[in-house]
Amino acid sequence: MFKILHQTLRTGIVTADYPAGPARFAERFRGRPAFDLENWSDARPAAAACPTGAIEVCDNGTQRRVTVDYGRCVFCGECASAGNGVRMTREFELAAFSREQLAFSADYALNPDGTHARLLADSRAAADTGKLEAAGRAVRETVRRVLGRSLAIREVDSGSCNGCELEIIALNNPIHDIERFGIHFVASPRHADMLLVTGPVTRNMELALRKTYQATPEPRLVVAAGACGIRGGIVGVNYATRGGVDQVIPVDVYVPGCPPRPEALLHGILLALGRGGKQLRR
Amino acid sequence: MKPVLDALQEEFPGRIRPLDTAAAGQVCAALEAADAPAVIASARAGFGARLACVFAEDRRAADNAFHLYYVLERPADPLYLVLRASLPPGCESFPSLAAALPAVNWQEREIRDWFGLEPAGHPIPRRVALHDNWPGVHPLRKDFRLDEVLPPFEGEQHEYRPTLGEGVFQIPVGPVHAGIIEPGHFNFAVAGEPILYLQLRMFYKHKGTEKLFEHLPAGRAVFLAESISGDSSFSHGVAFCQAVERAAGLDVPPRAVFLRTILLELERVCNHVADIGAIATDVGFVVANAHAGRLREIALNLNQELTGNRLLRGMVSIGGVRRDWDSAQISALTGAVAVIEREFDGLTALILSSDSTRDRLEHTGILTPEKARALGVVGVGGRASGVDLDVRRDHPYAAYGRMEFRVPVYQEGDVQRRMQVRIDEVRESLGILRSALRQLPGGPHSAPFGRLPAGRCALSAVEGWRGEILHWVRTGEDNRLERCKIKDPSLNNWPALVEAVQGNIVPDFPVINKSFNLSYSGTDR
Ligand code: SF4
């Protein structure tokens, strides 16, 4: 007993400041890649290097559309190594209310050799996030009214590699300590307000996921975590998978990452609750 | 295994043909499937060889046949022996070994599900990988498409054998569990508290991984390998890259080999620490888990500093590693090793000082050495039950040939020993880390990887923190793979869990399960 007390007192408080303060972690953590669209001379090397199809290039005569989907990105850094115009950042607060919000496109006029002559359009400038934000707000208001400031989460693994589970478990360690927000993980969907779902949804888990959703009382929230949960990740859609949680049940918030780090999960969960301030700013 | 192969050739004249493969770390030979049982029985009985893995390949297009592969190894013999057993053209059945060798029970049934080849004489010829409600498809046949859209499944996912008797109840659990763990179904038959019999249903997470490997360029496939089992991202990544490197005859520079070794050991430390904490939690010692969680975060932060990712992803590549370390990173590593060691000593002292914890862990969930050997149990679960195997020592890869370390082995086979193996191994890992840092050579961190030569086969083995990981590849055209077989250590260890829980009370199931901590994703792929 004294040993336990001694060790605990000696350790002191270790819980992180985030989200009240900045998240503190190693300098070299790779978050989302950032794209300097104005000065990006050629998207093809990055697209060719990308293992998940998060960067796609579609040429049409002398024009090119480049699509970037953070919902597919695994933050591997290959695009940044492949050429100019892309660099890795430490940003991880990427959660959004829709899959569309996670993607953007850029149109280029092309030189004869296929490099970019100039940027024609950037969908980020035109995006109407207002409507989407409003939809999200409605959900959050109901949730806040009904659930107050406490939340019970049931985690459902619908076929992940278990990387997301490791980070979700880490949310419960003394560093990330999600219980300080009145949020706790419960054993049954019947006790849950939110389902936190990982994995590309395998054919074998489809039924279990549906049943778990039906067993969760309303109002209920669904957060899809990780590249697999958003669009199937590197596994995608095949004979054994459905390719994303929203192919099977409605999803309120998507959290990119492979896996999303605990702070990113926390950000997504708080966003769903209307308790997180910031939303994706690309 | 060269002498074994020579002796087998003498014993079975004209029946075994050595295959000339350039791949390092293995010898290969071909035979007819009909001869396989006798040859393997002789290798096991006469030479103490262990059958590590059985798998199949659809080569109807090229060789007009299905091939089966038997991977054998024995202690103190660095080479693996890969026997390729061919079925006669048109033949869709092979002689089963499962009756004499329970270790291949699931593996042979997998071959039945994936390839539609019947294991003749298998004692339980039921589906294992495909659930009962799947249509009669065989996804790893070449004429089955990766993106095939199967009709909605109907009927029971799995029929459980009834357990009958007065006062006997069945408790179904899963696939969605109470904790934050992966999905699988456990069907307990209990009489009062003690568990009479456990039936397992896995493969809920099957996501077509082996098939998908045949459709990705080798470079991209590294990222898929990292996603076979998230907690073993780096081990599976290295296992895959090594297999491809051996197939391509690519030499990995010494510095890369050391950097890989360091990261493999860091992965072991992270996971063992987490498991030690989780075992403590499952017997109610949550404070210990809090300290373990804190310690794990220290290690994860180091992972990020060294690789940019908490799970060491995006680091290993075919030919070496993707990024070198500068002196700041090396000194971060050196410093962190000292901190981890100090904290780890505190954690273990805390756990070992608790008599009530020890009381719950000792004599709980016993897996006897006999059963462990029969089931082909590997890794932590094996070493706690007298199975003295460790790929790092037995078949050195990466820089392990230049490291000195001890392989802890216990005979008791209970939860306490499975935890003790982890405690011992963390200490050994810290020693390896220090030694690797001392010996760290300079030079390039990666060899350029150009094109993959077609038609080469290679096996690679890595001692992941759970145990022996095997990857086998056959290269194809266009930098792609014709076949990639993955064997996670979990596959053989699940049936051991069934044995270990028998006679224990249901409330002890979580801690017994945790003490094995098997990967559902690695099993189901
Ligand atoms: S960081 Fe994301 S976008 Fe860049 S290559 Fe990796 S997965 Fe693709």
Side-chain angles (χ1 to χ4, degrees):
Chain A
M1 194 68 210
F2 285 118
K3 250 203 176 108
I4 298 174
L5 266 179
H6 172 77
Q7 180 120 345
T8 305
L9 290 174
R10 193 188 54 127
T11 306
I13 294 170
V14 294
T15 306
D17 295 337
Y18 184 83
R24 281 180 221 285
F25 47 77
E27 210 41 57
R28 287 173 220 255
F29 166 73
R30 278 193 310 278
R32 67 157 182 124
F35 298 83
D36 180 0
L37 296 183
E38 289 290 343
N39 298 310
W40 202 3
S41 61
D42 194 351
R44 289 171 303 179
C50 178
T52 62
I55 305 174
E56 274 177 343
V57 167
C58 180
D59 286 1
N60 185 359
T62 55
Q63 285 199 16
R64 167 173 301 152
R65 168 157 290 185
V66 184
T67 320
V68 174
D69 186 352
Y70 288 119
R72 290 183 199 269
C73 180
V74 297
F75 306 154
C76 66
E78 290 300 283
C79 49
S81 310
N84 73 344
V86 192
R87 85 194 146 80
M88 298 309 285
T89 70
R90 299 174 78 232
E91 289 162 34
F92 62 86
E93 292 173 312
L94 300 172
F97 295 112
S98 74
R99 299 215 294 198
E100 291 69 39
Q101 276 181 297
L102 292 170
F104 69 90
S105 64
D107 293 336
Y108 287 99
L110 296 180
N111 294 319
D113 66 352
T115 56
H116 303 167
R118 84 200 137 81
L119 180 65
L120 299 172
D122 172 358
S123 75
R124 295 177 302 183
D128 177 16
T129 50
K131 209 167 72 204
L132 291 162
E133 296 230 344
R137 230 180 353 256
V139 178
R140 293 190 308 246
E141 266 148 30
T142 322
V143 168
R144 204 199 314 244
R145 191 166 28 107
V146 179
L147 306 178
R149 297 188 73 78
S150 118
L151 181 82
I153 305 179
R154 172 65 252 168
E155 198 267 345
V156 183
D157 172 350
S158 77
S160 76
C161 68
N162 79 29
C164 287
E165 278 61 40
L166 291 178
E167 295 299 53
I168 294 168
I169 291 168
L171 276 177
N172 293 292
N173 73 26
I175 311 289
H176 302 292
D177 190 20
I178 195 167
E179 298 235 1
R180 70 198 143 119
F181 303 99
I183 299 172
H184 49 271
F185 286 84
V186 292
S188 164
R190 297 195 191 283
H191 305 154
D193 310 310
M194 175 189 282
L195 296 182
L196 177 55
V197 190
T198 66
V201 190
T202 60
R203 296 289 306 259
N204 286 341
M205 277 307 288
E206 197 176 335
L207 181 66
L209 177 59
R210 267 211 190 91
K211 283 188 175 173
T212 308
Y213 182 71
Q214 283 156 7
T216 312
E218 293 185 67
R220 61 196 158 194
L221 290 163
V222 176
V223 173
C228 292
I230 299 172
R231 279 188 192 269
I234 193 154
V235 177
V237 185
N238 65 36
Y239 72 90
T241 63
R242 293 296 312 274
V245 177
D246 64 7
Q247 303 301 301
V248 179
I249 58 170
V251 170
D252 298 292
V253 164
Y254 299 81
V255 186
C258 188
R261 54 177 308 120
E263 294 92 337
L265 289 164
L266 186 57
H267 172 256
I269 292 167
L270 294 178
L271 186 71
L273 279 179
R275 285 167 62 181
K278 285 170 286 180
Q279 236 235 86
L280 173 72
R281 286 283 169 265
R282 290 171 302 238
Chain B
M1 294 290 273
K2 188 77 181 67
V4 178
L5 180 58
D6 293 343
L8 287 172
Q9 272 182 281
E10 233 165 75
E11 191 183 336
F12 299 89
R15 313 298 298 163
I16 305 173
R17 186 164 51 87
L19 288 177
D20 181 34
T21 72
Q26 54 222 275
V27 283
C28 306
L31 69 167
E32 298 299 324
D35 292 331
V39 172
I40 288 161
S42 168
R44 293 180 58 226
F47 302 94
R50 176 180 68 96
L51 182 54
C53 181
V54 188
F55 60 96
E57 188 189 19
D58 178 359
R59 289 286 284 170
R60 284 174 299 170
D63 303 341
N64 196 20
F66 286 97
H67 294 318
L68 295 165
Y69 293 85
Y70 296 91
V71 179
L72 293 146
E73 65 93 42
R74 61 174 183 164
D77 192 335
L79 302 181
Y80 276 84
L81 173 61
V82 182
L83 293 177
R84 189 188 80 192
S86 305
L87 295 179
C91 172
E92 298 195 346
S93 118
F94 63 99
S96 166
L97 306 177
L101 200 56
V104 297
N105 169 5
W106 282 24
Q107 298 185 53
E108 289 189 344
R109 285 157 68 190
E110 268 195 86
I111 294 174
R112 180 176 180 267
D113 292 355
W114 301 136
F115 291 92
L117 304 175
E118 205 56 44
H122 195 294
I124 337 164
R126 309 181 66 188
R127 282 187 175 182
V128 66
L130 301 181
H131 286 183
D132 289 352
N133 57 5
W134 279 58
V137 293
H138 303 298
L140 286 181
R141 286 191 170 201
K142 288 289 180 188
D143 48 14
F144 182 91
R145 288 163 45 112
L146 173 67
D147 56 1
E148 191 93 41
V149 180
L150 299 176
F153 301 159
E154 278 168 16
E156 277 292 302
Q157 264 180 321
H158 185 64
E159 301 258 343
Y160 293 90
R161 273 164 283 180
T163 319
L164 304 171
E166 203 184 318
V168 175
F169 288 88
Q170 290 202 329
I171 312 176
V173 183
V176 178
H177 293 281
I180 303 171
I181 62 168
E182 301 180 73
H185 188 95
F186 303 123
N187 185 301
F188 299 95
V190 298
E193 287 225 277
I195 300 167
L196 292 178
Y197 184 49
L198 167 63
Q199 296 180 65
L200 289 178
R201 188 68 204 153
M202 306 304 296
F203 289 88
Y204 279 91
K205 307 187 88 173
H206 173 63
K207 38 192 180 273
T209 306
E210 286 187 17
K211 186 85 179 175
L212 185 52
F213 267 109
E214 299 170 8
H215 292 258
L216 295 177
R220 263 182 210 199
V222 177
F223 294 94
L224 182 60
E226 288 180 339
S227 300
I228 292 166
S229 182
D231 49 27
S232 309
S233 298
F234 198 75
S235 306
H236 269 290
V238 170
F240 176 75
C241 289
Q242 265 182 191
V244 174
E245 287 153 3
R246 287 177 185 177
L250 186 66
D251 278 327
V252 180
R255 186 169 175 87
V257 153
F258 271 80
L259 298 187
R260 283 182 181 181
T261 307
I262 289 171
L263 294 172
L264 285 165
E265 291 311 312
L266 274 179
E267 188 168 82
R268 194 179 321 279
V269 169
C270 289
N271 284 290
H272 279 357
V273 166
D275 281 350
I276 291 165
I279 290 171
T281 301
D282 279 343
V283 294
F285 195 3
V286 277
V287 179
N289 190 34
H291 286 291
R294 188 170 60 81
L295 172 51
R296 181 164 176 274
E297 284 287 331
I298 296 173
L300 292 181
N301 205 45
L302 176 64
N303 287 354
Q304 294 178 80
E305 188 59 30
L306 297 176
T307 68
N309 185 284
R310 285 161 57 93
L311 303 184
L312 305 169
R313 286 183 170 175
M315 184 64 175
V316 69
S317 64
I318 299 170
V321 293
R322 290 178 206 274
R323 300 165 186 84
D324 203 353
W325 297 340
D326 59 23
S327 57
Q329 283 165 301
I330 302 276
S331 59
L333 173 58
T334 315
V337 169
V339 174
I340 292 170
E341 176 146 69
R342 196 183 63 228
E343 293 287 345
F344 188 71
D345 285 344
L347 175 67
T348 47
L350 193 63
I351 291 178
L352 298 177
S353 73
S354 162
D355 293 336
S356 57
T357 302
R358 173 174 280 269
D359 192 44
R360 287 285 305 278
L361 303 183
E362 271 185 351
H363 310 297
T364 302
I366 293 176
L367 176 69
T368 62
E370 296 71 39
K371 283 183 179 164
R373 257 187 288 277
L375 292 171
V377 176
V378 293
V380 171
R383 290 190 285 274
S385 294
V387 181
D388 188 4
L389 294 175
D390 189 323
V391 185
R392 297 176 296 171
R393 177 199 62 197
D394 303 335
H395 311 280
Y397 55 98
Y400 289 111
R402 295 172 50 188
M403 302 292 159
E404 276 188 28
F405 57 94
R406 196 175 63 85
V407 176
V409 178
Y410 295 88
Q411 303 298 327
E412 291 84 347
D414 55 5
V415 174
Q416 171 74 27
R417 297 324 185 286
R418 285 188 283 277
M419 185 168 80
Q420 192 61 47
V421 166
R422 288 180 170 92
I423 293 175
D424 296 353
E425 287 187 357
V426 169
R427 298 226 163 89
E428 296 298 323
S429 291
L430 293 169
I432 295 175
L433 286 172
R434 278 207 198 85
S435 160
L437 275 168
R438 266 197 311 274
Q439 301 181 54
L440 186 63
H445 63 282
S446 177
F449 167 62
R451 291 206 71 73
L452 198 54
R456 304 264 190 93
C457 302
L459 176 83
S460 142
V462 161
E463 185 75 20
W465 61 272
R466 250 188 209 102
E468 177 193 55
I469 293 173
L470 295 172
H471 280 226
W472 183 90
V473 298
R474 176 195 290 278
T475 62
E477 304 292 336
D478 283 342
N479 256 354
R480 277 165 212 265
L481 301 171
E482 278 280 307
R483 173 93 172 93
C484 179
K485 166 67 193 175
I486 302 145
K487 174 148 179 303
D488 189 88
S490 309
L491 191 77
N492 274 37
N493 292 14
W494 279 114
L497 175 67
V498 173
E499 297 296 330
V501 297
Q502 244 162 64
N504 286 264
I505 57 173
V506 177
D508 273 345
F509 175 75
V511 72
I512 300 171
N513 189 17
K514 199 63 191 173
S515 72
F516 284 95
N517 192 13
L518 304 176
S519 170
Y520 300 62
S521 185
T523 305
D524 306 351
R525 287 155 286 152

